Amino acid sequence: MDNTSSDTKADAGPQPLAALRESAGNYVKSLANHAVDNLTDKVGGLTDRLTQYANGSGADAGGAKAAAAAKGAEELAQGASPAKAGLSAAVAGVKEKVTGVFGGGNGGGDGDGGTFDFNNIVESIDVGAPVEVVFNAWTSYEKWPEFMKKVEHTELDEDSGEVQLRGKVLWSHRQWETVITDQVPDRRVAWSSTGEKGHLSGVVTFHPLGEELTRLVIVVAYYPDGFVEKTANIWRAVNRRVRLELKFFVHHVMTESVLHPEEDEGYRAEIHDEEIVRSHEEVVEDERADRDEQEEEDGEEEAEEGEGEEEEGEDVDEDKESGTRRRSR
């Protein structure tokens, strides 16, 4: 009896443990199957939605979403992974959105769909230097690449008032042809530019706030053209670049130009309606003559004041001498 009972207990021992192991294994398999089913359903649903959008039957069909959906469905149909298909769809959507926002590929809308032809940029900044020093530093275009980060090359034609500029927009190199349309030394410079992939036109004015303080006000109209320019314009990259370049300019003026003003002669021609009224040399010569004349007038005034003081001194001496004579009597 004892042996039988003992054998029965030994046989019964492993059975619950085996059952528990089997149950645990089935549970794990169930979880795995459920996860796979969910993933399959999500991928399948993504495929269905992308196909629906691509066919134009979805609630959000059309525009950037339709373009993105079409590209994603195409990638999935070719066997691409959902991640790769999603990335391609995103790129296509962004490109379509940029085109929609800025109107085709001609750099702006036609005024009928609420689109903008240009990005209006207005900035002002104060410079701790005389207005003449600031103006000369601004119009020393050949030095711009030395302190402006995105300007690579500049070349001024003094006879025509034209400036060739080459710089960077994101990772792309761009070139602009700029014409100075209006310029009055120490007061303002207005320009108009053209470029294959967008351009900037505008005006900068110089306002003396004191002998050693000048305010700079710049208004720029930026006309983006091309995918790179229009994409960058969504995040107002050019606005931030203009603001940053102005700070670089202020740093240059206050650390270099103020200390060595003779090194920045600038371009001081007077220009109206793109016509040079007075050349740089003529303006410089006229200004030199005005300074000489002013110095001569100041010298004459000082001489007259000196003579007046001498005459007053002689009168005082005579009065003292007369008083002495009277006392001696």
Side-chain angles (χ1 to χ4, degrees), residues 71-72 75 81-93:
K71 186 62 178 178
E75 292 287 338
S81 66
K84 183 178 179 181
L87 180 60
S88 299
V91 173

PDB file of all heavy atoms in Angstrom, residues 71-72 75 81-93:
ATOM      1  N   LYS A  71       2.474  59.057 -53.892  1.00  0.00           N
ATOM      2  CA  LYS A  71       3.866  58.629 -53.836  1.00  0.00           C
ATOM      3  C   LYS A  71       4.039  57.467 -52.871  1.00  0.00           C
ATOM      4  O   LYS A  71       4.747  56.492 -53.162  1.00  0.00           O
ATOM      5  CB  LYS A  71       4.744  59.801 -53.395  1.00  0.00           C
ATOM      6  CG  LYS A  71       6.250  59.502 -53.431  1.00  0.00           C
ATOM      7  CD  LYS A  71       6.711  59.189 -54.843  1.00  0.00           C
ATOM      8  CE  LYS A  71       8.214  58.939 -54.891  1.00  0.00           C
ATOM      9  NZ  LYS A  71       8.673  58.588 -56.248  1.00  0.00           N
ATOM     10  N   GLY A  72       3.356  57.518 -51.716  1.00  0.00           N
ATOM     11  CA  GLY A  72       3.458  56.430 -50.756  1.00  0.00           C
ATOM     12  C   GLY A  72       2.885  55.140 -51.278  1.00  0.00           C
ATOM     13  O   GLY A  72       3.455  54.053 -51.100  1.00  0.00           O
ATOM     14  N   GLU A  75       5.274  53.581 -53.735  1.00  0.00           N
ATOM     15  CA  GLU A  75       6.408  52.918 -53.083  1.00  0.00           C
ATOM     16  C   GLU A  75       5.992  51.579 -52.489  1.00  0.00           C
ATOM     17  O   GLU A  75       6.714  50.583 -52.594  1.00  0.00           O
ATOM     18  CB  GLU A  75       6.981  53.833 -51.986  1.00  0.00           C
ATOM     19  CG  GLU A  75       7.645  55.091 -52.501  1.00  0.00           C
ATOM     20  CD  GLU A  75       8.991  54.800 -53.161  1.00  0.00           C
ATOM     21  OE1 GLU A  75       9.585  53.756 -52.865  1.00  0.00           O
ATOM     22  OE2 GLU A  75       9.430  55.626 -53.987  1.00  0.00           O
ATOM     23  N   SER A  81       9.350  49.281 -47.865  1.00  0.00           N
ATOM     24  CA  SER A  81       8.872  49.172 -46.493  1.00  0.00           C
ATOM     25  C   SER A  81       7.965  50.356 -46.177  1.00  0.00           C
ATOM     26  O   SER A  81       8.049  51.406 -46.812  1.00  0.00           O
ATOM     27  CB  SER A  81      10.056  49.160 -45.531  1.00  0.00           C
ATOM     28  OG  SER A  81      10.724  50.408 -45.571  1.00  0.00           O
ATOM     29  N   PRO A  82       7.054  50.182 -45.175  1.00  0.00           N
ATOM     30  CA  PRO A  82       6.182  51.299 -44.800  1.00  0.00           C
ATOM     31  C   PRO A  82       6.966  52.557 -44.409  1.00  0.00           C
ATOM     32  O   PRO A  82       6.550  53.670 -44.689  1.00  0.00           O
ATOM     33  CB  PRO A  82       5.386  50.741 -43.614  1.00  0.00           C
ATOM     34  CG  PRO A  82       5.380  49.270 -43.823  1.00  0.00           C
ATOM     35  CD  PRO A  82       6.714  48.947 -44.448  1.00  0.00           C
ATOM     36  N   ALA A  83       8.110  52.384 -43.728  1.00  0.00           N
ATOM     37  CA  ALA A  83       8.911  53.548 -43.323  1.00  0.00           C
ATOM     38  C   ALA A  83       9.433  54.311 -44.528  1.00  0.00           C
ATOM     39  O   ALA A  83       9.365  55.541 -44.598  1.00  0.00           O
ATOM     40  CB  ALA A  83      10.076  53.096 -42.442  1.00  0.00           C
ATOM     41  N   LYS A  84       9.958  53.556 -45.514  1.00  0.00           N
ATOM     42  CA  LYS A  84      10.485  54.205 -46.715  1.00  0.00           C
ATOM     43  C   LYS A  84       9.362  54.849 -47.507  1.00  0.00           C
ATOM     44  O   LYS A  84       9.515  55.960 -48.041  1.00  0.00           O
ATOM     45  CB  LYS A  84      11.219  53.181 -47.574  1.00  0.00           C
ATOM     46  CG  LYS A  84      11.858  53.791 -48.817  1.00  0.00           C
ATOM     47  CD  LYS A  84      12.621  52.742 -49.628  1.00  0.00           C
ATOM     48  CE  LYS A  84      13.238  53.384 -50.876  1.00  0.00           C
ATOM     49  NZ  LYS A  84      13.972  52.384 -51.688  1.00  0.00           N
ATOM     50  N   ALA A  85       8.238  54.168 -47.589  1.00  0.00           N
ATOM     51  CA  ALA A  85       7.094  54.730 -48.309  1.00  0.00           C
ATOM     52  C   ALA A  85       6.609  56.008 -47.639  1.00  0.00           C
ATOM     53  O   ALA A  85       6.263  56.993 -48.294  1.00  0.00           O
ATOM     54  CB  ALA A  85       5.962  53.705 -48.374  1.00  0.00           C
ATOM     55  N   GLY A  86       6.589  56.014 -46.288  1.00  0.00           N
ATOM     56  CA  GLY A  86       6.163  57.204 -45.569  1.00  0.00           C
ATOM     57  C   GLY A  86       7.094  58.375 -45.790  1.00  0.00           C
ATOM     58  O   GLY A  86       6.658  59.517 -45.930  1.00  0.00           O
ATOM     59  N   LEU A  87       8.403  58.116 -45.821  1.00  0.00           N
ATOM     60  CA  LEU A  87       9.373  59.178 -46.063  1.00  0.00           C
ATOM     61  C   LEU A  87       9.202  59.773 -47.455  1.00  0.00           C
ATOM     62  O   LEU A  87       9.217  60.988 -47.637  1.00  0.00           O
ATOM     63  CB  LEU A  87      10.792  58.631 -45.891  1.00  0.00           C
ATOM     64  CG  LEU A  87      11.933  59.625 -46.122  1.00  0.00           C
ATOM     65  CD1 LEU A  87      11.825  60.791 -45.142  1.00  0.00           C
ATOM     66  CD2 LEU A  87      13.282  58.938 -45.977  1.00  0.00           C
ATOM     67  N   SER A  88       9.043  58.898 -48.442  1.00  0.00           N
ATOM     68  CA  SER A  88       8.836  59.386 -49.813  1.00  0.00           C
ATOM     69  C   SER A  88       7.553  60.192 -49.912  1.00  0.00           C
ATOM     70  O   SER A  88       7.489  61.211 -50.593  1.00  0.00           O
ATOM     71  CB  SER A  88       8.797  58.199 -50.781  1.00  0.00           C
ATOM     72  OG  SER A  88      10.016  57.484 -50.756  1.00  0.00           O
ATOM     73  N   ALA A  89       6.522  59.746 -49.210  1.00  0.00           N
ATOM     74  CA  ALA A  89       5.254  60.465 -49.220  1.00  0.00           C
ATOM     75  C   ALA A  89       5.406  61.842 -48.588  1.00  0.00           C
ATOM     76  O   ALA A  89       4.863  62.836 -49.072  1.00  0.00           O
ATOM     77  CB  ALA A  89       4.192  59.658 -48.481  1.00  0.00           C
ATOM     78  N   ALA A  90       6.164  61.916 -47.491  1.00  0.00           N
ATOM     79  CA  ALA A  90       6.361  63.203 -46.820  1.00  0.00           C
ATOM     80  C   ALA A  90       7.077  64.197 -47.725  1.00  0.00           C
ATOM     81  O   ALA A  90       6.700  65.371 -47.804  1.00  0.00           O
ATOM     82  CB  ALA A  90       7.149  63.001 -45.527  1.00  0.00           C
ATOM     83  N   VAL A  91       8.126  63.731 -48.403  1.00  0.00           N
ATOM     84  CA  VAL A  91       8.873  64.610 -49.311  1.00  0.00           C
ATOM     85  C   VAL A  91       7.971  65.115 -50.429  1.00  0.00           C
ATOM     86  O   VAL A  91       7.976  66.306 -50.779  1.00  0.00           O
ATOM     87  CB  VAL A  91      10.099  63.877 -49.878  1.00  0.00           C
ATOM     88  CG1 VAL A  91      10.772  64.725 -50.955  1.00  0.00           C
ATOM     89  CG2 VAL A  91      11.093  63.556 -48.770  1.00  0.00           C
ATOM     90  N   ALA A  92       7.183  64.216 -50.992  1.00  0.00           N
ATOM     91  CA  ALA A  92       6.270  64.611 -52.072  1.00  0.00           C
ATOM     92  C   ALA A  92       5.232  65.598 -51.565  1.00  0.00           C
ATOM     93  O   ALA A  92       4.874  66.554 -52.250  1.00  0.00           O
ATOM     94  CB  ALA A  92       5.589  63.368 -52.651  1.00  0.00           C
ATOM     95  N   GLY A  93       4.758  65.389 -50.332  1.00  0.00           N
ATOM     96  CA  GLY A  93       3.768  66.298 -49.771  1.00  0.00           C
ATOM     97  C   GLY A  93       4.316  67.685 -49.540  1.00  0.00           C
ATOM     98  O   GLY A  93       3.660  68.692 -49.808  1.00  0.00           O
TER      99      GLY A  93
END
